[in-house]
Structures are given as structure tokens and as C-alpha cells.
Amino acid sequence: MLTLTANAAQAIRDLTASAPEPAQSGIRISSQGEGSSSLTLSLATAPEPADAVVETEGARVYLDPVAATVLDDKALDAGADDKGSVSFVVTEQTA
């Protein structure tokens, strides 16, 4: 299952803090079609019915079935540039 670093969890909490339903809001990672290796990230107010849910430190990530498979052994990290723009990166999980 996808894991979140502390930086990613904080970034997600920051992004969803002003959402209409912050208690359920998170980010959703979805595929661009069946079997596609291209994934997109968007803000979501709730998971879709088939989504896997990853929750760490109050931060929620919703994964569609293809994304859940692709990211099963990965970690999500986040960072911000000097202008405050957040970027996410997928890395290998560390033991």
C-alpha cells in the first residue's frame, strides 16, 4: 500500500484545510484510462466508490484501482519551492 512521508501528509493537510469538507477532503490519484501508466493528482472532497483510501496523520489520499496497483509499493513525498508551490514525488518505499 502507498505510504506517505511526514512532508506529504503536511502538504495534503495544508491543501485540504480550506476545502468545503475538510474532514473528508484529500487528494485523489487516478489513472488516465485502463492500464495507463500516466497518473493525475487532484483535490477531492471524498473518495469515489472504488477508491482505496490511505490515511496518515490526518491526511487522506484516494487511489483509483489502477493507481492503487501502480503505487502499491511506493511512497509519496512532497516539497515546496521558494515561492511556496507544492510538488509531490513518488519514490520507492524504504524499509
Side-chain angles (χ1 to χ4, degrees):
M1 180 65 78
L2 177 73
T3 60
L4 306 179
T5 66
N7 288 341
Q10 183 62 53
I12 294 166
R13 285 194 307 272
D14 290 347
L15 287 170
T16 59
S18 60
E21 293 289 332
Q24 287 296 314
S25 294
I27 61 169
R28 183 166 193 267
I29 302 175
S30 56
S31 62
Q32 292 291 334
E34 280 301 312
S36 174
S37 60
S38 178
L39 300 174
T40 61
L41 185 145
S42 59
L43 289 174
T45 56
E48 297 293 323
D51 284 354
V53 178
V54 175
E55 187 166 355
T56 302
E57 299 174 13
R60 283 164 298 286
V61 177
Y62 306 128
L63 304 166
D64 80 4
V66 173
T69 300
V70 171
L71 300 174
D72 185 50
D73 61 346
K74 306 294 186 214
L76 186 66
D77 195 8
D81 65 18
D82 56 357
K83 294 182 176 83
S85 295
V86 175
S87 61
F88 290 94
V89 63
V90 175
T91 63
E92 295 297 324
Q93 287 183 2
T94 56

